[in-house]
Amino acid sequence: MTGPLLDIRDLRVRFPGRVRGRRTVVTAVDGVSLSVDEGETLGLVGESGSGKSTIGNAVLGLVRPTSGSVWFRGENISRLPPGRRRELGRVIQVVFQDPYSSLNPSRTIGQTLGEPLRHAHRLPRRVADARVRDMLRQVGLPADAVGRYPAEFSGGQRQRIAIARAFVLEPRLVVCDEPTSALDLSVQAQILNLLLDLQREHGMSYLFISHDIDVVRHMSHRIAVLLGGRLVEQGRAATVTRTPRHPYTRSLLGAVLPVVDPGDPTVANPETVRTTLPPPAPGTVADAAWGSG
Ligand SMILES: Nc1ncnc2c1ncn2[C@@H]1O[C@H](COP(=O)(O)OP(=O)(O)OP(=O)(O)O)[C@@H](O)[C@H]1O
């Protein structure tokens, strides 16, 4: 295949809304063009309401573009009939923010992972079961998780289950929409590093959505910055975060720096200011992006 895996072209999404009781139109995404290559992570960052999830939802077919288009492997997927959209679910998957609401509480983990797998890949039960167990091992859960229910797991473990559900189908693109925002700080880095490990192992692409530029920097090869539905800056992760061109990007970066003692002699040197996440593991794709640019 030539060209990017995912190609978003001049996307606009408007929703009907109300301001002071009067009907109006909310422009959630306003002429955004982005692409994601095979094996690449594009980080999408911006404050709440900047249009990040709407872009992710347009890729997933959950919202319809008002204009512009979304292309995947050279196919325009913006307005697909339901059957073709379902087929695409094998190769485009999602991990949402909230592992509590994204898992069906009345289904065992084995059912949640196994049924879509048997359906999509038409695998015999025995083969599907083996793949489910292998996937659970890859996300760090015990094999006996198959017979248990979501309520028996912690938030971090549930997000591992949601990740396993997305990855068991062997997708080529995963939309990660704030996948760690609902988790305790101590668990966040583990889940991010799991996503990096899975990408290193399987080579899929991520559209990685977060309001936290520090998290996005940790995960991404390239970063796109959204403000009010518009793209204000995009480029290599290291370039955007070390030499941001747009004042809004600078303000996002400022927001993640920890409060430090003004008398601290190291403050003048931003390289010495520690952020909340460890640097990417040596040898990961994110490490390569981190070290360049
Ligand atoms: N279904 C909808 N109907 C009406 N307005 C919507 C809908 N979905 C999103 N919006 C509006 O579109 C704008 C962008 O929302 P979106 O959820 O994409 O932003 P976001 O950057 O993902 O923020 P958050 O992280 O808070 O979800 C917001 O003003 C939001 O209120």
Side-chain angles (χ1 to χ4, degrees):
M1 188 194 75
T2 55
L5 182 72
L6 177 72
D7 196 10
I8 298 173
R9 301 182 190 164
D10 200 21
L11 180 69
R12 277 189 179 74
V13 181
R14 300 200 175 106
F15 295 110
R18 274 188 183 274
V19 174
R20 285 185 224 99
R22 293 184 56 184
R23 274 196 221 168
T24 178
V25 170
V26 177
T27 301
V29 180
D30 195 7
V32 166
S33 296
L34 294 170
S35 66
V36 184
D37 286 332
E38 287 272 6
E40 182 184 48
T41 299
L42 176 72
L44 211 48
V45 68
E47 286 165 317
S48 180
S50 58
K52 307 181 296 297
S53 294
T54 303
I55 293 175
N57 288 340
V59 172
L60 294 165
L62 300 175
V63 304
R64 211 171 239 264
T66 307
S67 65
S69 53
V70 180
W71 298 71
F72 182 77
R73 286 178 163 164
E75 177 186 6
N76 186 345
I77 62 166
S78 323
R79 295 168 184 83
L80 288 178
R84 177 72 190 122
R85 175 48 71 177
R86 269 196 303 279
E87 281 170 18
L88 266 189
R90 274 176 57 173
V91 280
I92 305 180
Q93 275 289 315
V94 60
V95 178
F96 286 115
Q97 170 175 351
D98 187 353
Y100 292 89
S101 62
S102 70
L103 294 170
N104 186 332
S106 63
R107 296 167 81 84
T108 64
I109 308 310
Q111 290 170 328
T112 293
L113 268 65
E115 281 175 14
L117 181 60
R118 284 206 302 280
H119 185 74
H121 291 265
R122 299 184 196 287
L123 295 177
R125 178 181 287 269
R126 190 177 43 79
V127 178
D129 286 352
R131 201 183 278 183
V132 166
R133 283 170 204 275
D134 182 53
M135 194 68 238
L136 289 171
R137 184 190 52 75
Q138 288 188 52
V139 301
L141 289 170
D144 73 356
V146 285
R148 292 156 63 190
Y149 291 88
E152 298 174 52
F153 295 91
S154 68
Q157 286 174 322
R158 285 188 216 190
Q159 199 57 309
R160 286 176 192 269
I161 295 164
I163 290 169
R165 178 183 54 184
F167 284 72
V168 78
L169 293 172
E170 300 180 338
R172 298 318 301 157
L173 174 70
V174 182
V175 176
C176 303
D177 191 350
E178 303 268 8
T180 58
S181 306
L183 304 176
D184 289 350
L185 209 56
S186 60
V187 180
Q188 287 185 13
Q190 293 170 18
I191 296 295
L192 295 177
N193 287 332
L194 171 63
L195 288 169
L196 288 174
D197 287 346
L198 289 167
Q199 186 180 51
R200 190 174 42 195
E201 183 112 336
H202 301 284
M204 73 288 284
S205 308
Y206 293 149
L207 179 61
F208 190 91
I209 295 171
S210 175
H211 65 279
D212 184 336
I213 199 165
D214 208 19
V215 167
V216 165
R217 166 168 54 187
H218 183 67
M219 297 300 294
S220 310
H221 299 92
R222 287 188 300 117
I223 293 179
V225 184
L226 271 179
L227 171 62
R230 295 201 176 140
L231 214 53
V232 295
E233 176 160 9
Q234 65 171 315
R236 291 182 65 82
T239 311
V240 169
T241 56
R242 287 182 186 162
T243 51
R245 286 202 314 263
H246 197 278
Y248 179 66
T249 313
R250 286 200 284 276
S251 76
L252 288 177
L253 283 160
V256 301
L257 294 178
V259 177
V260 288
D261 175 5
D264 183 340
T266 64
V267 169
N269 179 1
E271 292 302 319
T272 65
V273 176
R274 289 196 315 131
T275 51
T276 50
L277 285 164
T284 61
V285 284
D287 181 47
W290 176 281
S292 60

Coordinates of all heavy atoms in Angstrom, one line a residue, residues 13-90:
V13 N -17.1 18.9 11.2 CA -18.2 18.3 11.9 C -19.0 19.4 12.6 O -18.4 20.1 13.5 CB -17.8 17.2 12.8 CG1 -19.1 16.5 13.5 CG2 -17.0 16.1 12.1
R14 N -20.3 19.5 12.3 CA -21.1 20.5 13.0 C -22.3 19.7 13.7 O -22.8 18.8 13.1 CB -21.7 21.5 12.0 CG -20.6 22.3 11.3 CD -21.1 23.6 10.8 NE -20.0 24.4 10.2 CZ -19.7 24.5 8.9 NH1 -20.6 24.0 8.0 NH2 -18.7 25.1 8.5
F15 N -22.6 20.2 14.9 CA -23.7 19.6 15.6 C -24.8 20.7 15.9 O -24.4 21.8 16.1 CB -23.3 19.1 17.0 CG -22.3 17.9 16.9 CD1 -21.0 18.1 17.3 CD2 -22.7 16.7 16.5 CE1 -20.1 17.1 17.3 CE2 -21.8 15.6 16.5 CZ -20.5 15.8 16.9
P16 N -26.1 20.3 15.9 CA -27.1 21.2 16.3 C -26.9 21.5 17.8 O -26.6 20.6 18.6 CB -28.4 20.5 16.0 CG -28.1 19.1 15.9 CD -26.6 19.0 15.5
G17 N -27.0 22.8 18.2 CA -26.9 23.1 19.6 C -27.8 24.2 20.0 O -28.7 24.6 19.2
R18 N -27.7 24.7 21.3 CA -28.6 25.8 21.7 C -27.7 26.7 22.5 O -26.9 26.3 23.4 CB -29.7 25.2 22.7 CG -30.9 24.8 21.9 CD -32.0 24.4 22.9 NE -33.1 23.9 22.1 CZ -34.0 24.7 21.5 NH1 -34.0 26.0 21.7 NH2 -35.0 24.2 20.8
V19 N -27.9 28.0 22.3 CA -27.3 29.1 23.1 C -28.4 30.0 23.6 O -29.1 30.6 22.8 CB -26.2 29.8 22.3 CG1 -25.7 31.0 23.1 CG2 -25.1 28.9 21.9
R20 N -28.5 30.2 24.9 CA -29.6 31.0 25.5 C -30.9 30.7 24.9 O -31.7 31.6 24.5 CB -29.2 32.5 25.4 CG -28.1 32.9 26.3 CD -27.9 34.4 26.3 NE -26.5 34.7 26.3 CZ -25.8 35.0 25.2 NH1 -26.3 35.1 24.0 NH2 -24.5 35.2 25.2
G21 N -31.2 29.4 24.8 CA -32.5 28.9 24.4 C -32.7 29.0 22.9 O -33.7 28.5 22.3
R22 N -31.7 29.6 22.2 CA -31.9 29.7 20.7 C -31.1 28.6 20.0 O -30.0 28.3 20.4 CB -31.4 31.0 20.2 CG -32.3 32.2 20.7 CD -31.8 33.5 20.1 NE -31.8 33.5 18.7 CZ -31.4 34.5 17.9 NH1 -30.9 35.6 18.5 NH2 -31.4 34.4 16.6
R23 N -31.7 28.0 18.9 CA -31.1 27.0 18.2 C -29.9 27.6 17.5 O -29.9 28.7 16.9 CB -32.0 26.4 17.1 CG -32.8 25.3 17.7 CD -33.5 24.6 16.6 NE -34.8 24.3 17.0 CZ -35.7 23.8 16.1 NH1 -35.4 23.6 14.9 NH2 -36.9 23.5 16.6
T24 N -28.8 26.8 17.5 CA -27.6 27.2 16.9 C -26.8 26.0 16.3 O -27.3 24.9 16.4 CB -26.7 28.1 17.8 OG1 -25.5 28.5 17.2 CG2 -26.3 27.3 19.1
V25 N -25.6 26.3 15.8 CA -24.8 25.1 15.3 C -23.5 25.2 16.0 O -22.9 26.3 16.0 CB -24.7 25.2 13.7 CG1 -23.6 24.2 13.3 CG2 -26.0 25.0 13.1
V26 N -23.0 24.1 16.5 CA -21.7 24.0 17.1 C -20.8 23.4 16.1 O -21.0 22.3 15.6 CB -21.7 23.1 18.4 CG1 -20.3 22.9 19.0 CG2 -22.7 23.6 19.4
T27 N -19.7 24.1 15.8 CA -18.7 23.6 14.9 C -17.6 22.9 15.8 O -16.8 23.5 16.4 CB -18.0 24.7 14.0 OG1 -19.1 25.3 13.3 CG2 -17.0 24.1 13.1
A28 N -17.7 21.5 15.8 CA -16.8 20.8 16.7 C -15.4 20.6 16.0 O -14.4 20.6 16.7 CB -17.4 19.4 17.0
V29 N -15.4 20.4 14.7 CA -14.2 20.2 14.0 C -14.3 21.1 12.7 O -15.3 21.0 12.0 CB -14.0 18.7 13.6 CG1 -12.7 18.6 12.8 CG2 -14.0 17.8 14.8
D30 N -13.2 21.9 12.5 CA -13.3 22.9 11.5 C -12.2 22.8 10.5 O -11.2 23.6 10.6 CB -13.3 24.3 12.2 CG -13.8 25.4 11.3 OD1 -14.3 25.1 10.2 OD2 -13.7 26.5 11.8
G31 N -12.3 21.9 9.5 CA -11.3 21.9 8.5 C -10.0 21.3 8.9 O -8.9 21.8 8.6
V32 N -10.0 20.1 9.5 CA -8.8 19.4 10.0 C -8.3 18.4 9.0 O -9.1 17.5 8.5 CB -9.1 18.7 11.4 CG1 -8.0 17.8 11.7 CG2 -9.2 19.8 12.4
S33 N -7.0 18.4 8.7 CA -6.4 17.4 7.8 C -5.3 16.8 8.6 O -4.4 17.5 9.1 CB -5.9 18.0 6.5 OG -6.9 18.5 5.7
L34 N -5.3 15.4 8.7 CA -4.3 14.7 9.4 C -4.0 13.4 8.7 O -4.9 12.8 8.1 CB -4.8 14.3 10.8 CG -5.1 15.4 11.8 CD1 -5.9 14.8 13.0 CD2 -3.9 16.0 12.3
S35 N -2.9 12.8 8.9 CA -2.6 11.5 8.5 C -1.9 10.7 9.5 O -1.2 11.2 10.3 CB -1.9 11.5 7.1 OG -0.6 12.0 7.3
V36 N -2.0 9.3 9.4 CA -1.3 8.4 10.3 C -0.7 7.3 9.4 O -1.5 6.7 8.6 CB -2.3 7.8 11.4 CG1 -1.4 6.9 12.3 CG2 -3.0 8.9 12.1
D37 N 0.6 7.1 9.5 CA 1.2 6.0 8.8 C 1.1 4.7 9.5 O 0.9 4.6 10.7 CB 2.7 6.4 8.5 CG 2.8 7.5 7.5 OD1 2.0 7.6 6.6 OD2 3.8 8.3 7.6
E38 N 1.4 3.6 8.8 CA 1.5 2.3 9.4 C 2.5 2.3 10.5 O 3.6 2.8 10.4 CB 2.1 1.3 8.3 CG 1.1 0.9 7.3 CD 0.2 -0.3 7.6 OE1 0.3 -0.7 8.8 OE2 -0.6 -0.7 6.8
G39 N 2.1 1.8 11.6 CA 3.0 1.6 12.8 C 3.3 2.9 13.5 O 4.1 2.9 14.5
E40 N 2.6 4.0 13.2 CA 2.9 5.3 13.7 C 1.8 5.6 14.8 O 0.7 5.2 14.7 CB 2.9 6.3 12.6 CG 3.2 7.7 13.1 CD 3.0 8.8 12.0 OE1 2.0 8.8 11.3 OE2 3.9 9.6 11.9
T41 N 2.2 6.5 15.8 CA 1.3 7.0 16.7 C 1.2 8.5 16.4 O 2.2 9.2 16.5 CB 1.7 6.8 18.2 OG1 1.8 5.4 18.4 CG2 0.7 7.5 19.1
L42 N 0.0 9.0 16.1 CA -0.3 10.4 16.0 C -1.0 10.8 17.3 O -2.1 10.3 17.6 CB -1.1 10.8 14.8 CG -1.5 12.2 14.8 CD1 -0.3 13.1 14.4 CD2 -2.7 12.5 13.8
G43 N -0.4 11.7 18.1 CA -1.1 12.2 19.3 C -1.9 13.4 19.0 O -1.5 14.3 18.3
L44 N -3.2 13.4 19.5 CA -4.1 14.5 19.3 C -4.3 15.2 20.6 O -4.8 14.5 21.5 CB -5.4 14.0 18.7 CG -6.3 14.7 17.8 CD1 -5.4 15.3 16.7 CD2 -7.4 13.8 17.2
V45 N -3.9 16.4 20.8 CA -4.0 17.1 22.1 C -4.7 18.4 22.0 O -4.6 19.1 21.0 CB -2.5 17.2 22.7 CG1 -1.7 18.2 21.9 CG2 -2.6 17.5 24.2
G46 N -5.4 18.7 23.1 CA -6.1 20.0 23.2 C -7.0 19.9 24.4 O -7.2 18.9 24.9
E47 N -7.5 21.1 24.8 CA -8.3 21.1 26.0 C -9.7 20.5 25.7 O -10.0 20.2 24.6 CB -8.5 22.6 26.4 CG -7.3 23.2 27.0 CD -7.4 24.7 27.1 OE1 -7.8 25.3 26.2 OE2 -7.1 25.2 28.2
S48 N -10.4 20.3 26.8 CA -11.8 19.8 26.7 C -12.6 20.6 25.7 O -12.5 21.9 25.8 CB -12.4 19.8 28.1 OG -13.7 19.3 28.0
G49 N -13.3 20.0 24.8 CA -14.1 20.7 23.9 C -13.4 21.1 22.6 O -14.0 21.8 21.7
S50 N -12.1 20.7 22.5 CA -11.4 21.2 21.3 C -11.7 20.4 20.0 O -11.2 20.7 18.9 CB -9.9 21.2 21.6 OG -9.4 19.9 22.0
G51 N -12.4 19.3 20.2 CA -12.8 18.5 19.0 C -12.1 17.1 18.9 O -12.3 16.4 17.9
K52 N -11.3 16.7 19.9 CA -10.5 15.5 19.7 C -11.4 14.3 19.6 O -11.2 13.5 18.6 CB -9.6 15.3 21.0 CG -8.8 16.5 21.3 CD -7.9 16.3 22.6 CE -8.7 16.0 23.9 NZ -9.5 17.2 24.3
S53 N -12.3 14.1 20.5 CA -13.2 12.9 20.4 C -14.0 12.9 19.2 O -14.3 11.8 18.6 CB -14.1 12.8 21.6 OG -13.3 12.6 22.8
T54 N -14.4 14.0 18.7 CA -15.2 14.1 17.5 C -14.4 13.6 16.3 O -15.0 12.8 15.5 CB -15.8 15.5 17.2 OG1 -16.5 15.9 18.4 CG2 -16.6 15.6 16.0
I55 N -13.1 13.9 16.3 CA -12.3 13.4 15.2 C -12.2 11.9 15.3 O -12.4 11.1 14.3 CB -10.9 14.1 15.2 CG1 -11.0 15.5 14.9 CG2 -9.9 13.4 14.2 CD1 -9.8 16.3 15.0
G56 N -11.9 11.4 16.5 CA -11.8 9.9 16.7 C -13.1 9.3 16.4 O -13.1 8.2 15.7
N57 N -14.3 9.9 16.7 CA -15.6 9.3 16.4 C -15.9 9.3 14.9 O -16.5 8.4 14.4 CB -16.7 10.0 17.2 CG -16.6 9.7 18.7 OD1 -16.1 8.7 19.1 ND2 -17.2 10.5 19.5
A58 N -15.3 10.3 14.2 CA -15.5 10.3 12.8 C -14.7 9.1 12.1 O -15.2 8.5 11.2 CB -15.1 11.6 12.2
V59 N -13.5 8.9 12.7 CA -12.7 7.7 12.2 C -13.5 6.4 12.4 O -13.5 5.5 11.6 CB -11.3 7.7 12.8 CG1 -10.6 6.5 12.5 CG2 -10.6 9.0 12.4
L60 N -14.1 6.3 13.6 CA -14.8 5.1 14.0 C -16.2 5.0 13.4 O -16.9 4.0 13.5 CB -15.0 5.1 15.5 CG -13.7 5.0 16.3 CD1 -13.9 5.3 17.8 CD2 -13.1 3.6 16.2
G61 N -16.6 6.0 12.6 CA -17.9 6.0 12.0 C -19.1 6.2 13.0 O -20.2 6.0 12.7
L62 N -18.7 6.8 14.1 CA -19.8 7.1 15.1 C -20.4 8.5 14.9 O -21.5 8.8 15.4 CB -19.2 7.1 16.5 CG -18.6 5.7 16.9 CD1 -17.9 5.7 18.3 CD2 -19.7 4.6 16.9
V63 N -19.7 9.4 14.2 CA -20.3 10.6 13.7 C -20.0 10.8 12.3 O -19.0 10.3 11.8 CB -19.8 11.9 14.5 CG1 -20.0 11.8 16.0 CG2 -18.4 12.2 14.2
R64 N -20.9 11.5 11.6 CA -20.8 11.6 10.1 C -20.2 13.0 9.9 O -20.6 14.0 10.4 CB -22.2 11.7 9.6 CG -22.4 11.1 8.2 CD -23.9 11.0 8.0 NE -24.2 9.7 7.6 CZ -24.3 9.2 6.4 NH1 -24.2 10.1 5.4 NH2 -24.6 8.0 6.1
P65 N -19.2 13.1 9.0 CA -18.6 14.4 8.7 C -19.7 15.3 8.0 O -20.5 14.8 7.2 CB -17.5 14.1 7.6 CG -17.2 12.6 7.8 CD -18.5 12.0 8.3
T66 N -19.7 16.6 8.4 CA -20.5 17.5 7.7 C -19.9 17.8 6.3 O -20.6 17.9 5.3 CB -20.6 18.8 8.5 OG1 -21.0 18.5 9.8 CG2 -21.6 19.8 7.9
S67 N -18.6 17.9 6.2 CA -17.9 17.9 4.9 C -16.5 17.4 5.2 O -16.1 17.1 6.3 CB -17.9 19.3 4.3 OG -17.1 20.2 5.2
G68 N -15.8 17.2 4.0 CA -14.5 16.5 4.1 C -14.6 15.0 4.2 O -15.7 14.5 4.1
S69 N -13.5 14.3 4.4 CA -13.6 12.9 4.3 C -12.5 12.2 5.1 O -11.5 12.8 5.5 CB -13.5 12.4 2.8 OG -12.3 13.0 2.3
V70 N -12.8 10.9 5.4 CA -11.8 10.1 6.2 C -11.5 8.9 5.3 O -12.4 8.2 4.8 CB -12.4 9.6 7.5 CG1 -11.4 8.7 8.3 CG2 -12.9 10.8 8.4
W71 N -10.2 8.7 5.0 CA -9.8 7.6 4.2 C -8.9 6.6 5.0 O -8.1 7.0 5.8 CB -8.9 8.1 3.0 CG -9.7 9.1 2.1 CD1 -10.1 10.3 2.4 CD2 -10.1 8.8 0.8 NE1 -10.8 10.9 1.4 CE2 -10.8 9.9 0.3 CE3 -10.0 7.7 -0.1 CZ2 -11.4 10.0 -0.9 CZ3 -10.6 7.7 -1.3 CH2 -11.2 8.9 -1.7
F72 N -9.2 5.3 4.8 CA -8.4 4.3 5.4 C -7.9 3.3 4.4 O -8.7 2.8 3.6 CB -9.3 3.5 6.5 CG -8.6 2.5 7.2 CD1 -7.7 2.8 8.3 CD2 -8.7 1.1 6.9 CE1 -7.0 1.8 9.0 CE2 -8.0 0.2 7.6 CZ -7.2 0.5 8.6
R73 N -6.6 3.1 4.3 CA -6.0 2.2 3.3 C -6.6 2.5 1.9 O -7.0 1.7 1.1 CB -6.3 0.7 3.6 CG -5.5 0.2 4.7 CD -5.8 -1.3 4.9 NE -4.9 -2.0 5.7 CZ -5.1 -3.1 6.3 NH1 -6.3 -3.7 6.2 NH2 -4.1 -3.7 7.0
G74 N -6.7 3.9 1.6 CA -7.1 4.3 0.3 C -8.6 4.2 0.0 O -9.0 4.5 -1.1
E75 N -9.4 3.8 1.0 CA -10.8 3.8 0.8 C -11.5 4.9 1.6 O -11.2 5.1 2.8 CB -11.3 2.4 1.4 CG -12.9 2.2 1.3 CD -13.3 1.0 2.0 OE1 -12.5 0.2 2.6 OE2 -14.5 0.7 1.9
N76 N -12.4 5.6 0.9 CA -13.2 6.6 1.6 C -14.2 6.0 2.6 O -15.1 5.3 2.1 CB -13.9 7.5 0.6 CG -14.6 8.7 1.3 OD1 -14.7 8.7 2.5 ND2 -15.0 9.7 0.5
I77 N -14.0 6.1 3.9 CA -14.8 5.4 4.9 C -15.8 6.4 5.6 O -16.4 6.0 6.6 CB -14.0 4.6 5.9 CG1 -13.1 5.6 6.7 CG2 -13.1 3.6 5.3 CD1 -12.5 5.0 8.0
S78 N -15.9 7.6 5.0 CA -16.8 8.6 5.7 C -18.2 8.2 5.7 O -18.9 8.6 6.7 CB -16.6 9.9 5.0 OG -15.4 10.1 4.6
R79 N -18.7 7.6 4.7 CA -20.2 7.3 4.6 C -20.4 5.9 4.1 O -21.0 5.7 3.1 CB -20.8 8.4 3.7 CG -20.7 9.8 4.2 CD -21.1 10.8 3.1 NE -20.9 12.2 3.6 CZ -19.7 12.8 3.6 NH1 -18.6 12.2 3.1 NH2 -19.6 14.0 4.1
L80 N -20.0 5.0 5.0 CA -20.1 3.6 4.6 C -21.5 3.0 4.9 O -22.0 3.3 5.9 CB -19.0 2.8 5.3 CG -17.6 3.0 4.8 CD1 -16.7 2.1 5.7 CD2 -17.4 2.6 3.4
P81 N -21.9 2.0 4.1 CA -23.1 1.2 4.5 C -22.7 0.4 5.8 O -21.6 0.1 6.0 CB -23.4 0.3 3.4 CG -22.2 0.4 2.5 CD -21.4 1.6 2.8
P82 N -23.7 0.1 6.6 CA -23.4 -0.5 7.9 C -22.6 -1.8 7.8 O -21.8 -2.1 8.6 CB -24.8 -0.8 8.5 CG -25.7 0.1 7.8 CD -25.2 0.4 6.5
G83 N -22.9 -2.6 6.8 CA -22.2 -3.9 6.7 C -20.7 -3.7 6.5 O -19.9 -4.4 7.1
R84 N -20.3 -2.8 5.6 CA -18.9 -2.5 5.4 C -18.3 -1.9 6.6 O -17.1 -2.2 7.0 CB -18.8 -1.6 4.2 CG -17.3 -1.2 3.9 CD -16.5 -2.3 3.3 NE -15.1 -2.0 3.2 CZ -14.1 -2.6 3.8 NH1 -14.4 -3.7 4.5 NH2 -12.9 -2.3 3.7
R85 N -19.0 -1.1 7.3 CA -18.5 -0.5 8.5 C -18.2 -1.5 9.6 O -17.2 -1.5 10.3 CB -19.5 0.6 9.0 CG -19.3 1.3 10.3 CD -17.9 1.8 10.5 NE -17.6 3.0 9.7 CZ -16.4 3.6 9.8 NH1 -15.5 3.3 10.7 NH2 -16.1 4.7 9.1
R86 N -19.1 -2.5 9.7 CA -18.9 -3.6 10.6 C -17.6 -4.4 10.3 O -16.8 -4.7 11.1 CB -20.0 -4.6 10.7 CG -21.1 -4.2 11.7 CD -22.0 -5.4 12.0 NE -22.7 -5.8 10.8 CZ -23.8 -5.2 10.3 NH1 -24.3 -4.2 10.9 NH2 -24.4 -5.7 9.2
E87 N -17.4 -4.6 9.0 CA -16.2 -5.3 8.6 C -14.9 -4.5 9.0 O -13.9 -5.1 9.4 CB -16.1 -5.5 7.0 CG -17.0 -6.6 6.5 CD -17.1 -6.5 5.0 OE1 -16.3 -5.8 4.3 OE2 -18.0 -7.1 4.4
L88 N -15.0 -3.2 8.9 CA -13.9 -2.4 9.2 C -13.5 -2.5 10.7 O -12.4 -2.2 11.1 CB -14.2 -0.9 8.9 CG -13.7 -0.3 7.6 CD1 -13.9 1.2 7.6 CD2 -12.3 -0.7 7.3
G89 N -14.5 -2.9 11.5 CA -14.3 -3.0 13.0 C -13.2 -4.0 13.3 O -12.6 -4.0 14.4
R90 N -12.9 -4.9 12.4 CA -11.8 -5.8 12.6 C -10.5 -5.1 12.6 O -9.5 -5.5 13.3 CB -11.7 -6.9 11.5 CG -12.6 -8.0 11.7 CD -12.6 -9.0 10.5 NE -11.3 -9.4 10.1 CZ -11.0 -10.3 9.2 NH1 -12.0 -10.9 8.5 NH2 -9.8 -10.7 8.9

